[in-house]
Each structure stands twice: as structure tokens, then as C-alpha cells.
């Protein structure tokens, strides 16, 4: 059993995201199943179908606006996190060995973060221009 134990840690570490993804998919399927059952019950009783439920089913309305807002703010958040991680790595490696080039490792996530911030800025500016034309 001792020779198997070191392999269990990486296997469990790899299984955690897989289980999380499967559980997320199951939760989404269950939510959709409950929504369909609610719509079916309303239709059986002859009740009018609320547009909010139909919008949830098709993905229109407020949900799509929230998703768009998350995508827009997600770029800002990802860029800021990468810049901060890059700065943190650069400072850490510089303090570990001041005369070495290792601090430059922090430039990789830092520049990725800067690129994400530039893309976020261009996208938000393009959205503002499109809204101004309407």
C-alpha cells in the first residue's frame, strides 16, 4: 500500500476539477428539467406561460445581459489578476536571488495581463460606440 500512496495525491488532485465539472453539468440539467416540468404543469392547467420562464428557456432577456456584463468585466478581472500575479512573481524571484534573471519569469503573466486589459478596453470602447450609434 505504501508504493501506491504517492500516486493517490496527484490522482485525487486531477479528479477534483473533473468531479466539479460533472456536478455543474448535472445541476444545470436538473434546473432545466425543473423549468420544463413547471412549464408543462402550467400548460396542463391552462395557465398562461410567463415570458420570464420562456426567456430563461431560450436564454434571452436579462440573463443574456448579465452574461454579457460578466464577459466584459471578466476581461478586466482576468487582466488585473495576471498583472498582479506577474508583479508578485517578479518581486518574489528578485528577492530570492537579486542578481539573477529569474525576476523576468514574472513578465510572462504580467504581459498577458496587460494584453487582456488592452483587449478589454478595446471591447468596451467598441460597445460604447455601438450603443451611441443606436
Amino acid at each position: 500500500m505504501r508504493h501506491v500512496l504517492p500516486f493517490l495525491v496527484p490522482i485525487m488532485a486531477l479528479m477534483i476539477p473533473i468531479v466539479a465539472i460533472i456536478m455543474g453539468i448535472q445541476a444545470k440539467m436538473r434546473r432545466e428539467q425543473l423549468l420544463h416540468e413547471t412549464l408543462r404543469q402550467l400548460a396542463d392547467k391552462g395557465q398562461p406561460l410567463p415570458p420570464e420562464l420562456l426567456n430563461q428557456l431560450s436564454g434571452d432577456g436579462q440573463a443574456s445581459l448579465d452574461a454579457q456584463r460578466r464577459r466584459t468585466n471578466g476581461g478586466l478581472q482576468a487582466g488585473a489578476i495576471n498583472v498582479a500575479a506577474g508583479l508578485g512573481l517578479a518581486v518574489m524571484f528578485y528577492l530570492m536571488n537579486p542578481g539573477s534573471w529569474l525576476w523576468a519569469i514574472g513578465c510572462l503573466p504580467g504581459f498577458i495581463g496587460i494584453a487582456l486589459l488592452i483587449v478589454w478596453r478595446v471591447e468596451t470602447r467598441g460597445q460604447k460606440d455601438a450603443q451611441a450609434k443606436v
Side-chain angles (χ1 to χ4, degrees), residues 44-100:
D44 287 343
K45 293 181 181 179
Q47 297 287 330
L49 301 177
E52 295 85 20
L53 288 178
L54 295 175
N55 284 344
Q56 282 183 350
L57 191 60
S58 65
D60 293 341
Q62 187 65 27
S64 65
L65 289 175
D66 289 342
Q68 181 182 6
R69 197 172 298 124
R70 274 195 305 271
R71 277 194 309 268
T72 303
N73 292 337
L76 173 63
Q77 184 179 11
I81 289 171
N82 274 309
V83 168
L87 286 173
L89 283 172
V91 169
M92 180 188 73
F93 282 126
Y94 179 76
L95 292 176
M96 283 174 47
N97 195 356
S100 178

Side-chain angles (χ1 to χ4, degrees), residues 105-131:
I105 293 173
C107 292
L108 186 64
F111 287 135
I112 290 171
I114 291 170
L116 287 170
L117 290 174
I118 291 170
V119 169
W120 169 79
R121 182 67 178 159
V122 169
E123 284 179 351
T124 55
R125 185 174 288 167
Q127 289 173 356
K128 287 178 184 176
D129 291 342
Q131 289 174 354

Side-chain angles (χ1 to χ4, degrees), residues 8-62:
L8 290 178
V9 173
I11 289 172
M12 291 304 293
L14 292 173
M15 292 300 292
I16 290 172
I18 293 171
V19 170
I21 290 170
I22 291 171
M23 293 197 58
I25 291 171
Q26 283 182 337
K28 184 178 178 183
M29 289 173 55
R30 178 72 178 148
R31 190 172 32 246
E32 288 179 4
Q33 181 183 14
L34 289 173
L35 179 63
H36 284 130
E37 185 155 335
T38 302
L39 289 173
R40 191 176 317 117
Q41 288 176 356
L42 287 173
D44 287 343
K45 293 181 181 179
Q47 297 287 330
L49 301 177
E52 295 85 20
L53 288 178
L54 295 175
N55 284 344
Q56 282 183 350
L57 191 60
S58 65
D60 293 341
Q62 187 65 27

